[in-house]
């Protein structure tokens, strides 16, 4: 039975009134703040740390040293020989250590293939007097397994080591159960079979020497065990178990939570994956292999994680408030902006523009996918881009960061570039070799062959309507580069004269992700309306060739198809980035690869304005559905956690007389979420559960 000491009171829930549209800087845990000691260990520093009286070894990395193998030999017994136990055993054997194993399940065949001696009876194993007992059990079963071991059959100074993902719980259990003359190391290799399939080099190994005897042989044994991981290139980090759990609540638990939420959405690769979305797919793949028991153990046995879950919940709710608050403002302006407000709303609704949502034309209401997206097989090397006839006169309308980013490449390829913007970017234009116009009439009278709209999503309609079309050539090609596609497509078709050509595009990159070149980055486009004359077809191809020559992956697909994929990839990516940004995430001394992915995601999305994110939400008809699915997935995950927690408490309260479901099963008909959390918290408070 799980003891009450493993259950912890949740911190007070922050008031929703404290939320604001600005990024949340929620208060950290009230636990003491420690300064971790982080340094790659050499044999010398480790020997000094352990107060060894042995002579110092060389300072070189032990992995690259020529050592006497017998000086490193240990007899190590692995308790719990599942996937992780076998994963560690493989390296222990490769380093020449003697490895024994015991598990409740029969893994004798796996042990034999690895060169490990397997014992079904723990008495037989303990009578072999291993130097080290390595506990590779699940978090939930650790206490039961430890109490079942015949400790009296071991040598009295045996070293016990755990490798659990939570450390305060493991430390307390080992101190409570083991006799005082046994040595204890609490460790956490922050990697597993998936993340370390190419080796352990550069991966974190966190440990605390909880109790090591002063005798030289016991000090040396501890040193020899830690050097197993040091020799493989691990980054050795010594910190207290309390420190570890404080950092892990943010890095490890948060990573697993995001991974599990996204897994519930059943994310799939799309033809237009962004780098951010690719990282989320990788995160799901890395976390989906772990059992729910592991995730539940991270939640149940780390006192800091309930606060982290609560903060994540509040951050997501705050983002929803920002979106719907902005939406509310738009509706109010439409309703009460002028005397004819109701008439305007009715007209806008009939045209599909209510709330600024993407106006779907009757043609776009047809089947969503009319054939799969196809890579545009444009042979840039076969085009005559080197001769002057291939050069275009391109006008960039909206000369902010993205307009300048595109203009730089246009100029480098020899095209003549003009620019116009409401703000004065004449200095930036001059540096790039671009002719800048502060008056739209002046720009249009230059008769550019292509108008590239680089405006924000929100301002596109206003800017388009303000252009003096009558001053342009009648066959001018209009191109947009917005992150949503049905919205500009319908704007162009509605407002541009019928003799203008239309190309809707989305370069799936920007100044940050494209700073090292555009090679293999996706460029999505639809030829919405291109005249049949050879000159107009050629002009469109010349414009597309700009991106093909830079190595872009050219993807031709309909605007409706783009928005369907983008809602599931781009909008989800930006949503997760903004939610995590509100948590004020910071790098820790023990970052996992998954947590690094989340930090990079925040960095990549934090530079984008809220207007861009709001535009992705407002002008993609599929975005609302994705937001709701994300909300439901998060609620479902909380239901699983609190449902399981409720079952633990109920079993402790009523014991075997309760005919409820086994704790390994989640209640099928109960919804727990916040109400359940409050109920469990209240019950624990009533019972005066001790907070370790």
């Amino acid at each position: 039975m799980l003891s009450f000491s493993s259950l912890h009171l949740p911190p007070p829930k922050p008031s929703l009134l404290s939320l604001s549209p600005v990024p949340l800087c929620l208060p950290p845990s009230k636990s003491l703040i420690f300064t971790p000691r982080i340094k790659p260990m050499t044999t010398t520093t480790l020997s000094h740390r352990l107060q060894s009286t042995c002579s110092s070894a060389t300072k070189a990395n032990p992995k690259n040293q020529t050592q006497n193998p017998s000086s490193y030999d240990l007899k190590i017994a692995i308790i719990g020989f599942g996937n992780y136990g076998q994963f560690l055993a493989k390296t222990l054997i490769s380093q020449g250590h003697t490895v024994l194993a015991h598990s409740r399940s029969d893994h004798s065949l796996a042990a034999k293939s690895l060169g490990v001696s397997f014992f079904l009876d723990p008495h037989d194993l303990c009578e072999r007097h291993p130097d080290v007992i390595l506990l590779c059990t699940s978090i939930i079963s650790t206490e039961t397994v430890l109490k079942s071991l015949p400790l009296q059959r071991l040598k009295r100074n045996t070293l016990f080591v755990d490798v659990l993902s939570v450390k305060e719980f493991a430390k307390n259990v080992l101190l409570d159960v083991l006799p005082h003359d046994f040595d204890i190391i609490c460790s956490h290799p922050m990697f597993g079979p998936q993340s370390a399939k190419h080796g352990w080099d550069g991966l974190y190994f966190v440990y605390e020497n909880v109790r090591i005897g002063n005798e030289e042989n016991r000090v040396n044994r501890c040193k020899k065990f830690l050097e197993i991981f040091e020799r493989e290139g691990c980054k050795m980090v010594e910190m207290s178990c309390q420190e570890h759990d404080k950092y892990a609540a943010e890095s490890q638990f948060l990573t697993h939570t995001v991974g599990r939420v996204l897994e519930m959405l059943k994310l799939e690769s799309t033809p237009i994956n962004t780098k951010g979305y690719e990282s989320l797919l990788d995160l799901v793949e890395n976390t989906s292999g772990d059992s729910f028991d592991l995730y539940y153990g991270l939640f149940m046995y780390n006192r800091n994680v309930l606060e982290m879950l609560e903060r994540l919940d509040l951050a997501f709710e705050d983002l929803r408030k920002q979106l719907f608050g902005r939406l509310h403002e738009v509706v109010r302006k439409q309703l009460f902006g002028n005397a004819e407000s109701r008439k305007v709303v009715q007209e806008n609704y009939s045209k599909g523009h209510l709330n600024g949502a993407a106006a779907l034309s009757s043609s776009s209401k047809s089947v969503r996918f009319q054939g799969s997206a196809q890579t545009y097989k444009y042979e840039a090397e076969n085009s005559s881009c080197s001769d002057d006839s291939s050069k275009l006169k391109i006008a960039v309308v909206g000369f902010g960061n993205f307009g300048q980013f595109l203009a730089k490449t246009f100029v480098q390829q020899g095209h003549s570039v003009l620019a116009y913007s409401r703000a004065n970017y004449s200095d930036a234009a001059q540096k790039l070799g671009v002719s800048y116009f502060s008056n739209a009439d002046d720009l249009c009278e230059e008769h550019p062959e292509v108008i590239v709209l680089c405006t924000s999503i929100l301002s596109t309609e206003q800017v388009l309507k303000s252009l003096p079309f009558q001053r342009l050539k009648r066959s001018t090609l209009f191109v947009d580069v917005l992150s949503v596609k049905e919205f500009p497509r319908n704007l162009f078709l509605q407002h541009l004269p019928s003799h203008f050509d239309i190309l809707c595009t989305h370069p799936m990159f920007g100044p940050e992700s494209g700073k090292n070149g555009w090679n293999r980055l996706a460029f999505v486009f639809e030829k919405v309306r291109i005249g049949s004359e050879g000159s107009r077809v050629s002009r469109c191809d010349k414009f597309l060739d700009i991106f093909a020559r830079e190595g872009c992956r050219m993807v031709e697909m309909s605007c409706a198809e783009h928005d369907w994929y983008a809602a599931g990839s781009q909008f989800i990516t930006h949503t997760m980035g903004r939610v995590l940004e509100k948590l004020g995430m910071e790098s820790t001394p023990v970052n996992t690869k998954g947590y690094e992915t989340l930090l990079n995601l925040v960095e990549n999305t934090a530079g984008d304005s809220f207007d861009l994110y709001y535009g992705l939400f407002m002008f993609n008809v599929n975005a609302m559905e994705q937001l709701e699915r994300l909300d439901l997935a998060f609620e479902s995950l909380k239901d699983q956690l609190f449902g399981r927690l409720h079952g633990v408490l109920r079993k402790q309260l009523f014991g075997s007389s309760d005919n409820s479901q086994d704790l390994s099963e989640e209640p099928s008909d109960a919804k727990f979420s916040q109400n359940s959390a409050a109920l469990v918290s209240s019950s624990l408070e009533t019972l005066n559960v001790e907070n370790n």
Side-chain angles (χ1 to χ4, degrees):
M1 179 184 297
L2 290 169
S3 63
F4 282 118
S5 63
S6 63
L7 298 171
H8 307 292
L9 286 171
K13 184 172 181 177
S15 170
L16 292 176
L17 296 177
S18 65
L19 294 173
S20 64
V22 297
L24 291 179
C25 294
L26 298 172
S29 168
K30 293 183 179 179
S31 61
L32 296 175
I33 298 176
F34 298 87
T35 302
R37 299 176 298 280
I38 310 168
K39 62 173 73 176
M41 296 190 330
T42 63
T43 305
T44 302
T45 57
L46 176 60
S47 178
H48 177 71
R49 183 177 294 136
L50 294 173
Q51 300 176 349
S52 173
T53 58
C54 299
S55 60
S56 297
T58 178
K59 293 184 180 181
N61 188 338
K63 188 177 181 181
N64 300 323
Q65 292 175 23
T66 303
Q67 298 282 353
N68 180 3
S70 63
S71 68
Y72 275 89
D73 282 356
L74 290 170
K75 186 188 288 185
I76 303 173
I78 296 177
I79 307 297
F81 204 60
N83 288 338
Y84 199 77
Q86 295 173 35
F87 166 69
L88 293 181
K90 186 176 180 181
T91 295
L92 300 180
I93 290 290
S94 71
Q95 289 194 16
H97 300 286
T98 300
V99 181
L100 322 176
H102 161 70
S103 201
R104 288 177 292 184
S105 301
D106 186 358
H107 292 292
S108 55
L109 292 178
K112 184 178 180 180
S113 67
L114 292 171
V116 173
S117 301
F118 187 80
F119 300 85
L120 279 172
D121 189 333
H123 289 263
D124 294 336
L125 178 139
C126 291
E127 286 175 350
R128 293 297 185 99
H129 289 174
D131 302 303
V132 181
I133 297 286
L134 186 58
L135 288 173
C136 293
T137 54
S138 70
I139 300 173
I140 296 173
S141 66
T142 295
E143 186 172 5
T144 302
V145 171
L146 187 61
K147 288 179 177 179
S148 72
L149 294 178
L151 303 178
Q152 72 278 6
R153 300 195 182 280
L154 295 167
K155 285 185 177 180
R156 285 169 296 170
N157 65 358
T158 303
L159 171 61
F160 272 73
V161 182
D162 85 283
V163 291
L164 297 188
S165 302
V166 291
K167 297 270 56 83
E168 280 195 281
F169 166 71
K171 176 181 178 180
N172 292 331
V173 168
L174 290 170
L175 288 173
D176 288 345
V177 175
L178 294 179
H180 64 87
D181 49 6
F182 282 15
D183 288 347
I184 300 171
I185 296 177
C186 284
S187 75
H188 182 195
M190 299 197 68
F191 48 87
Q194 179 65 26
S195 57
K197 58 187 175 184
H198 301 302
W200 302 359
D201 190 50
L203 301 177
Y204 287 106
F205 182 88
V206 183
Y207 69 97
E208 178 184 358
N209 296 325
V210 177
R211 186 172 66 200
I212 305 296
N214 293 325
E215 295 91 336
E216 182 178 318
N217 65 320
R218 296 167 76 171
V219 171
N220 283 337
R221 179 181 58 191
C222 173
K223 173 186 126 179
K224 288 177 184 178
F225 179 79
L226 292 174
E227 283 176 350
I228 292 170
F229 299 88
E230 183 188 357
R231 292 177 73 194
E232 295 299 317
C234 289
K235 292 181 180 177
M236 308 297 287
V237 181
E238 183 176 8
M239 65 168 56
S240 71
C241 292
Q242 186 178 10
E243 276 182 290
H244 169 280
D245 283 3
K246 173 176 170 285
Y247 288 124
E250 182 164 339
S251 61
Q252 195 176 21
F253 179 74
L254 187 59
T255 301
H256 277 264
T257 300
V258 173
R260 285 190 169 270
V261 168
L262 295 175
E263 183 185 5
M264 290 179 179
L265 296 180
K266 300 188 183 302
L267 299 182
E268 296 180 351
S269 183
T270 76
I272 56 172
N273 291 353
T274 60
K275 286 185 177 180
Y277 187 63
E278 289 282 0
S279 66
L280 292 185
L281 291 175
D282 291 340
L283 179 64
V284 172
E285 183 180 355
N286 289 335
T287 56
S288 61
D290 296 321
S291 67
F292 185 79
D293 275 356
L294 170 62
Y295 177 62
Y296 174 72
L298 295 175
F299 168 73
M300 185 74 169
Y301 296 99
N302 186 334
R303 71 173 73 194
N304 305 287
V305 299
L306 190 56
E307 178 188 1
M308 180 55 62
L309 190 67
E310 189 79 358
R311 291 175 63 205
L312 185 62
D313 193 13
L314 287 167
F316 183 62
E317 187 59 33
D318 186 53
L319 185 62
R320 285 168 55 90
K321 286 182 178 179
Q322 279 186 271
L323 285 174
F324 293 126
R326 187 78 169 266
L327 184 64
H328 183 258
E329 290 177 10
V330 172
V331 175
R332 285 190 61 189
K333 284 182 179 179
Q334 289 191 338
L335 287 173
F336 308 111
N338 54 60
E340 298 179 346
S341 57
R342 294 192 180 277
K343 180 179 178 182
V344 171
V345 170
Q346 290 173 353
E347 290 176 354
N348 283 342
Y349 186 84
S350 65
K351 295 176 181 178
H353 287 293
L354 183 63
N355 303 343
L360 298 179
S361 65
S362 58
S363 61
S364 68
K365 294 180 182 178
S366 57
V367 180
R368 175 174 282 141
F369 303 112
Q370 299 176 357
S372 59
Q374 300 183 7
T375 301
Y376 185 68
K377 298 179 180 178
Y378 196 85
E379 302 293 340
E381 62 271 21
N382 293 333
S383 63
S384 55
C385 288
S386 59
D387 87 54
D388 291 339
S389 64
S390 68
K391 305 310 176 187
L392 295 170
K393 183 186 287 187
I394 304 172
V396 177
V397 176
F399 204 60
N401 288 338
F402 197 76
Q404 294 173 36
F405 170 67
L406 292 182
K408 184 177 180 181
T409 297
F410 295 164
V411 170
Q412 286 174 350
Q413 289 195 16
H415 300 285
S416 174
V417 182
L418 323 175
Y420 160 74
S421 201
R422 288 175 292 183
N424 186 2
Y425 290 108
S426 54
D427 290 341
Q430 186 177 9
K431 290 178 182 178
L432 292 172
V434 172
S435 301
Y436 188 80
F437 297 84
S438 57
N439 185 290
D441 290 87
D442 293 338
L443 177 132
C444 291
E445 286 176 351
E446 293 291 322
H447 289 174
E449 298 166 88
V450 183
I451 300 281
V452 180
L453 283 180
C454 293
T455 54
S456 69
I457 300 173
L458 301 183
S459 64
T460 296
E461 184 171 6
Q462 179 185 350
V463 171
L464 184 64
K465 289 179 178 179
S466 71
L467 294 179
F469 301 137
Q470 72 279 4
R471 302 194 183 282
L472 295 168
K473 286 186 175 180
R474 287 169 295 172
S475 64
T476 304
L477 171 62
F478 271 75
V479 180
D480 86 283
V481 292
L482 297 188
S483 302
V484 292
K485 295 271 59 78
E486 284 195 278
F487 169 66
R489 177 184 187 274
N490 293 320
L491 276 183
F492 282 167
L493 290 173
Q494 182 176 355
H495 295 293
L496 290 179
S498 60
H499 45 72
F500 281 11
D501 287 349
I502 300 172
L503 178 66
C504 285
T505 78
H506 182 195
M508 305 280 295
F509 50 88
E512 182 62 30
S513 56
K515 61 185 177 184
N516 297 318
W518 303 355
N519 190 45
R520 298 188 63 79
L521 299 178
F523 182 87
V524 184
F525 67 95
E526 180 186 0
K527 297 176 181 178
V528 177
R529 186 173 66 202
I530 304 296
S532 58
E533 295 91 332
S535 59
R536 296 167 76 170
V537 172
S538 175
R539 178 181 59 191
C540 178
D541 287 344
K542 288 176 186 177
F543 181 80
L544 292 173
D545 185 52
I546 294 172
F547 298 88
R549 292 181 68 198
E550 295 298 319
C552 288
R553 182 165 52 87
M554 308 296 285
V555 182
E556 184 171 11
M557 65 166 56
S558 71
C559 291
E561 203 173 357
H562 168 281
D563 283 4
W564 169 254
Y565 285 127
S569 59
Q570 193 179 21
F571 179 70
I572 288 293
T573 302
H574 277 262
T575 299
M576 292 311 307
R578 287 191 169 270
V579 168
L580 296 173
E581 182 188 4
K582 290 177 179 291
L583 297 179
M585 292 171 57
E586 295 180 352
S587 183
T588 75
V590 290
N591 291 353
T592 60
K593 286 187 175 181
Y595 189 62
E596 290 284 359
T597 296
L598 297 185
L599 290 174
N600 291 335
L601 177 64
V602 171
E603 183 180 357
N604 288 336
T605 55
D608 296 321
S609 67
F610 185 78
D611 276 356
L612 170 62
Y613 176 64
Y614 175 70
L616 295 175
F617 168 72
M618 189 72 163
F619 296 96
N620 187 332
V621 71
N622 307 288
M624 178 67 84
E625 177 187 353
Q626 291 298 331
L627 190 66
E628 288 304 313
R629 290 181 66 223
L630 188 60
D631 190 20
L632 288 171
F634 187 43
E635 288 301 317
S636 176
L637 185 62
K638 289 191 296 180
D639 289 344
Q640 283 183 278
L641 285 175
F642 292 122
R644 184 95 170 251
L645 183 61
H646 183 267
V648 171
L649 179 61
R650 191 171 56 200
K651 192 167 184 177
Q652 288 189 344
L653 288 173
F654 303 110
S656 59
S657 62
D658 185 9
N659 294 323
S660 60
Q661 294 163 294
D662 187 83
L663 297 183
S664 63
E665 302 173 1
E666 286 92 34
S668 59
D669 57 348
K671 298 289 286 181
F672 293 101
S673 195
Q674 289 122 325
N675 291 336
S676 176
L679 172 63
V680 172
S681 173
S682 176
S683 301
L684 292 175
E685 189 172 359
T686 303
L687 291 168
N688 293 317
V689 178
E690 187 181 51
N691 195 351
N692 286 345

